[in-house]
Amino acid sequence: MTAKTATLSRGLKSRHIRFIALGSAIGTGLFYGSSASIQTAGPAVLLAYLIGGAAVFLVLRSLGEMAVRDPCAGSFGEYATKYLGPLAGFATGWTYAFEMVIVCLADVTAFGVYMGFWFPDVPRWIWVLAVVLVVGVMNLFSVKVFGEMEFWLSLAKVVAIVAMIGAGIAILVLGLHGDGGPVGVSNLWSNGGFFPHGAEGFVLSFAVVMFAFGGTEIIGVTAGEAQEPEKTIPSAVNWIPLRIVLFYVVALAVIMSLNPWQNIDGTGSPFVEIFASLGVGSAATVLNVVVIVAALSAINSDIFAAGRIMYGMAERGQAPAAMRKLSRNGVPWTTVSIMMGALLLGVVLNYLMPESIFLVISSIATFATVWVWMMILLSQFAARRRMSPREAAALKYPAPFWPYGQIVAIAFMVAVLVLLAFSGDTRIALIVGAGWLALLSGVYVLWGRPRTPVAGPAGQAERAEAEPAGAEAVPVARS
């Protein structure tokens, strides 16, 4: 069934979108990747999360401004096409799909690590294969099923994190001791200081910290299937500051208070390790269930987001027409199947290099994520500059601090990309990222450009579908 006989279903309610955003923001980056950032910066990583979170908030507000004004399935890929040009839109859309594949590879890898807590003798790749198949199949159901599943998975994470914070505070008040050493808030400054690795460690931590926020831009992708995007998108975006403070800063502050930061070695989830070292076995077991749920939720969101962005690109003629095919339930089953196939690479990588795969994948994902955020900011900047004062005043959800906040955020994103070059572990991300963008440019010249609106021989119907990059050009996504 093609896009001409079926349409994307507007089945996502406000609570769905709010928790889909949570599913992307609270996942592997917090539950597993935070170990690497803690080792790099020590307790100062709390400040890094606050600064990085503020920058991401500006990105999401910029995206929210465009999504409320022009909700569409292609989201920021369409906005980049419209305001920055066809090549920018082509590269942004495919880089986001690439980002979701890489982030999802990190998520499925973390899932395998978590299962090792109970089954240390079972090869990790087996768990990776199982989760790819199960979550992939779930994404073939209607968007309402996806939304409900993501709502409950994310709700479980929220409840568990709040409970963990409460339990951690109780342990701090009671002054319990575990194998890792004394507990207390003083652990945040008494083990080499708040900046144990100095300014260098603090700055370098941003290369890992920004990975944790990857996927939050899915809020824009959901606009094409939101029932009331002018209400649901602002509501979801406005939750971001609270999430950052509560789920990252407070949770990690409790973790590092329960155990000195240098004892968090990254062999598993620091949340599980802490309670296990304190001798609270049942809590460690429950938390391992939670981090598994978190991984499932993140994988679920990643597959959804990549599928929708590829669908939107196919609508603009920037991806093969087969990606426009929808199931009877209005799900782009072709793109979901492509994601499942791509994720099988994670099975192979976890078989070949189980020890080093996560850091490599997360650094590449950081490059793709930050590059997409930068394109979102540039698109909004270009869009706002095109508006008349009357149009700008009529915006229902304008981004704050215009234009200086956007300029600072763009400079911050550029700085994070540069930081990747200063560590041997993350330098590969720049190499892969530069190669990826060069590949996309070549593909665009050879294949993508003839399918854009400027091409003559593409056919009248296809040009009509590809011509405007805004949502008004994609009636399929607005039904």
Side-chain angles (χ1 to χ4, degrees):
M1 185 170 291
T2 67
K4 294 183 179 180
T5 56
T7 63
L8 286 180
S9 171
R10 287 192 178 273
L12 295 180
K13 300 178 181 178
S14 178
R15 62 185 177 89
H16 292 149
I17 292 177
R18 190 175 297 146
F19 281 88
I20 286 171
L22 270 176
S24 295
I26 305 172
T28 304
L30 173 62
F31 288 113
Y32 185 64
S34 55
S35 295
S37 58
I38 289 172
Q39 284 298 310
T40 302
V45 76
L46 300 177
L47 181 59
Y49 276 110
L50 279 174
I51 295 174
V56 172
F57 177 66
L58 285 174
V59 172
L60 296 182
R61 282 300 303 264
S62 297
L63 177 57
E65 176 183 298
M66 294 185 291
V68 169
R69 183 171 184 253
D70 188 12
C72 55
S75 190
F76 36 83
E78 291 203 18
Y79 306 141
T81 300
K82 186 173 184 178
Y83 301 115
L84 301 177
L87 175 58
F90 182 81
T92 299
W94 279 112
T95 300
Y96 181 70
F98 175 69
E99 172 199 340
M100 286 295 97
V101 171
I102 299 300
V103 169
C104 208
L105 287 176
D107 291 332
V108 298
T109 297
F111 179 84
V113 173
Y114 300 154
M115 294 303 293
F117 178 78
W118 291 317
F119 307 100
D121 298 326
V122 177
R124 187 188 301 172
W125 68 267
I126 292 178
W127 300 116
V128 174
L129 176 61
V131 74
V132 168
L133 294 177
V134 171
V135 179
V137 170
M138 292 299 294
N139 266 264
L140 294 175
F141 292 101
S142 73
V143 71
K144 286 184 179 180
V145 173
F146 163 80
E148 284 297 324
M149 180 169 63
E150 191 59 29
F151 171 78
W152 290 108
L153 287 174
S154 296
L155 181 61
K157 286 191 293 187
V158 172
V159 172
I161 292 177
V162 172
M164 185 280 295
I165 292 174
I169 292 175
I171 291 174
L172 291 173
V173 172
L174 295 174
L176 299 179
H177 292 255
D179 298 333
V183 301
V185 179
S186 60
N187 280 335
L188 297 178
W189 59 79
S190 61
N191 296 283
F194 188 72
F195 292 88
H197 296 305
E200 180 181 359
F202 171 69
V203 172
L204 290 177
S205 71
F206 281 98
V208 183
V209 165
M210 299 311 290
F211 166 75
F213 298 116
T216 52
E217 65 280 354
I218 194 177
I219 292 174
V221 180
T222 61
E225 291 166 274
Q227 292 179 349
E228 296 179 287
E230 69 281 356
K231 296 180 180 179
T232 56
I233 300 302
S235 175
V237 171
N238 291 337
W239 266 43
I240 295 296
L242 176 63
R243 288 198 290 267
I244 291 170
V245 173
L246 179 61
F247 300 128
Y248 283 89
V249 179
V250 176
L252 292 182
V254 169
I255 288 293
M256 288 185 285
S257 296
L258 292 175
N259 206 16
W261 65 268
Q262 61 267 35
N263 292 345
I264 301 174
D265 58 13
T267 56
S269 170
F271 290 77
V272 177
E273 289 178 2
I274 294 301
F275 282 90
S277 69
L278 290 171
V280 189
S282 58
T285 299
V286 170
L287 276 174
N288 202 55
V289 173
V290 172
V291 296
I292 287 173
V293 169
L296 289 172
S297 170
I299 296 166
N300 194 36
S301 294
D302 296 339
I303 293 177
F304 169 88
R308 269 50 178 187
I309 204 76
M310 285 189 282
Y311 172 86
M313 292 181 68
E315 283 292 308
R316 300 192 302 278
Q318 295 177 333
M323 292 184 178
R324 293 183 305 191
K325 293 182 178 180
L326 300 176
S327 69
R328 187 170 301 174
N329 294 324
V331 173
W333 64 268
T334 307
T335 59
V336 172
S337 301
I338 291 172
M339 275 295 291
M340 290 176 64
L343 290 178
L344 293 178
L345 175 63
V347 180
V348 177
L349 292 176
N350 274 276
Y351 176 78
L352 296 176
M353 46 185 296
E355 300 305 321
S356 57
I357 178 177
F358 185 82
L359 184 58
V360 172
I361 287 177
S362 63
S363 59
I364 295 174
T366 298
F367 174 90
T369 299
V370 173
W371 196 87
V372 168
W373 288 341
M374 190 165 60
M375 298 304 290
I376 290 172
L377 289 165
L378 289 171
S379 297
Q380 186 267 340
F381 194 87
R384 183 70 79 88
R385 286 178 65 90
R386 288 190 187 185
M387 294 181 195
S388 65
R390 183 177 179 180
E391 289 175 321
L395 288 171
K396 295 180 180 179
Y397 190 55
F401 310 119
W402 167 264
Y404 304 108
Q406 286 69 25
I407 293 173
V408 171
I410 291 170
F412 176 80
M413 298 304 168
V414 172
V416 172
L417 293 178
V418 172
L419 282 176
L420 295 174
F422 287 86
S423 171
D425 293 328
T426 59
R427 197 170 297 130
I428 187 176
L430 279 182
I431 298 173
V432 172
W436 170 256
L437 293 178
L439 174 64
L440 287 179
S441 298
V443 170
Y444 174 79
V445 171
L446 296 176
W447 175 83
R449 186 167 57 182
R451 297 176 61 84
T452 62
V454 296
Q460 203 66 17
E462 188 169 352
R463 283 201 305 270
E465 287 180 1
E467 192 162 304
E472 295 301 326
V474 193
V476 172
R478 298 179 63 85
S479 61

